[in-house]
């Protein structure tokens, strides 16, 4: 009997308002080079062979815009559904999970994080098949201080064991769906990412996988400047490789 083919999906979140950007244009729709920021995030999964379907979760008012101006305009064939998100990030993730059918592994990724490269996706895909719950991230570069309520330093954690967590966060679909089902049935607070949902509701360990220091989230005006520098460097590198082959 032939084994069932693995089927994987990506949920790309683009429902955030981005108040810290101080712009009338939402961060995921801001221009980065020749394209909106969101295009790059979607394109990563469009080109990744191990993802079969993309669920785009956006604001209710932006569903038509995303369909016409991004998905159709740039020929993104894997975007199977564009659905409205919820009040908070975790509501939007749950909407995306409920929209999926017949899925083995699911990537959950910020639409405002445009530099998740192919090698990173391969690393985390290999890891999730083994550990069932994985997040990409990087060891912190700076010393971290914990403060009290009056902003006095009270503790300095060991930097060698601290990571900044990024997306994508990748899970066995059955595990993350059950975790979110429990989240909405129970009383949990302070949820900041999907790994935390799995940790709190399922008590399942989450494997940290190397991401990239370039894998930034566009959140403030300074981030756009950094992203443009990364994009320019990438274009220059590709141009140099082509010139070397000619």
């Amino acid at each position: 009997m032939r084994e069932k083919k693995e089927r994987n999906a990506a949920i790309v979140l683009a429902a955030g308002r981005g108040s810290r950007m101080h712009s009338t244009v939402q961060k995921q729709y801001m221009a980065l080079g020749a394209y909106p920021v969101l295009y790059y995030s979607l394109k990563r999964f469009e080109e990744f062979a191990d993802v079969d379907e993309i669920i785009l979760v956006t604001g209710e008012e932006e569903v038509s815009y995303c369909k016409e101006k991004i998905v159709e305009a740039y020929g993104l064939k894997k975007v199977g559904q564009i659905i409205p998100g919820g009040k908070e990030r975790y509501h939007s993730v749950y909407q995306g999970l409920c929209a999926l059918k017949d899925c083995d592994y699911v990537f959950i990724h910020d639409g405002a994080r445009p530099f998740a490269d192919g090698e990173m996706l391969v690393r985390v895909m290999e890891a999730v098949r083994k550990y069932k719950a994985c997040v990409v991230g990087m060891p912190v570069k700076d010393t971290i201080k914990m403060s009290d309520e009056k902003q006095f330093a009270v503790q300095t954690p060991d930097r060698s064991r601290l990571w900044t967590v990024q997306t994508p966060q990748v899970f066995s679909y059955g595990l993350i769906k059950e975790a979110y089902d429990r989240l909405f049935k129970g009383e949990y607070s302070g949820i900041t990412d999907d790994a935390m949902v799995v940790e709190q509701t399922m008590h399942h360990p989450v494997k940290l996988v190397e991401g990239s220091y370039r894998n930034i989230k566009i959140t403030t005006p300074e981030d756009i400047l950094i992203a443009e520098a990364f994009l320019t460097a990438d274009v220059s590198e590709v141009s140099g490789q082509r010139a070397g082959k000619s």
Side-chain angles (χ1 to χ4, degrees):
M1 185 175 178
R2 188 173 64 180
E3 291 187 10
K4 171 182 170 290
K5 181 183 180 297
E6 183 180 280
R7 182 169 176 80
N8 308 317
I11 297 170
V12 177
L13 303 168
R17 290 293 166 189
S19 57
R20 284 177 286 179
M21 186 58 72
H22 305 297
S23 171
T24 56
V25 179
Q26 290 159 249
K27 58 191 178 183
Q28 58 268 28
Y29 306 126
M30 288 182 133
L32 177 59
Y35 303 98
V37 168
L38 178 58
Y39 163 81
Y40 297 94
S41 300
L42 293 169
K43 188 69 170 175
R44 305 297 170 185
F45 295 104
E46 181 79 18
E47 295 175 342
F48 186 49
D50 282 334
V51 163
D52 302 287
E53 180 184 9
I54 301 169
I55 304 289
L56 176 56
V57 186
T58 186
E60 190 169 359
E61 301 83 4
E62 286 83 46
V63 170
S64 295
Y65 174 86
C66 285
K67 181 176 184 292
E68 297 170 11
K69 302 298 185 182
I70 296 181
V71 174
E72 293 179 351
Y74 300 118
L76 300 170
K77 305 298 184 185
K78 287 186 182 178
V79 180
Q81 300 180 62
I82 306 172
I83 62 175
K87 181 180 179 181
E88 302 291 344
R89 182 188 186 277
Y90 61 91
H91 292 108
S92 295
V93 172
Y94 194 49
Q95 295 284 80
L97 291 171
C98 291
L100 283 172
K101 307 295 180 187
D102 188 29
C103 182
D104 292 294
Y105 297 102
V106 58
F107 289 72
I108 302 171
H109 188 60
D110 298 321
R113 204 180 284 271
F115 295 111
D117 60 64
E119 291 181 358
M120 181 192 309
L121 300 186
V122 169
R123 284 195 297 273
V124 73
M125 186 76 249
E126 291 175 348
V128 78
R129 289 184 177 122
K130 181 176 181 180
Y131 299 106
K132 308 301 180 187
C134 300
V135 300
V136 300
M138 293 298 288
V140 301
K141 297 179 180 180
D142 300 319
T143 295
I144 304 296
K145 297 285 185 181
M146 293 186 65
S147 74
D148 61 16
E149 64 279 2
K150 295 182 180 180
Q151 287 75 56
F152 284 95
V154 295
Q155 187 177 347
T156 306
D158 179 2
R159 186 173 66 183
S160 68
R161 299 183 65 183
L162 296 176
W163 286 55
T164 56
V165 173
Q166 306 170 347
T167 68
Q169 303 194 3
V170 195
F171 307 90
S172 160
Y173 175 74
L175 176 67
I176 190 67
K177 180 61 164 56
E178 175 65 21
Y180 265 91
D181 285 342
R182 292 186 183 187
L183 174 69
F184 281 92
K185 289 176 183 175
E187 293 184 5
Y188 299 91
S189 61
I191 297 297
T192 56
D193 72 343
D194 310 298
M196 194 173 177
V197 178
V198 169
E199 291 160 1
Q200 287 200 7
T201 67
M202 304 295 285
H203 307 291
H204 190 287
V206 177
K207 178 69 172 176
L208 295 167
V209 178
E210 182 181 343
S212 167
Y213 288 117
R214 282 193 174 198
N215 188 26
I216 64 170
K217 185 178 181 181
I218 308 297
T219 305
T220 65
E222 294 82 4
D223 295 329
I224 280 285
L225 297 176
I226 294 168
E228 287 174 347
F230 288 158
L231 193 64
T232 299
D234 289 342
V235 171
S236 298
E237 182 178 347
V238 170
S239 298
Q241 290 172 350
R242 288 174 179 171
K245 292 178 181 179
S246 61

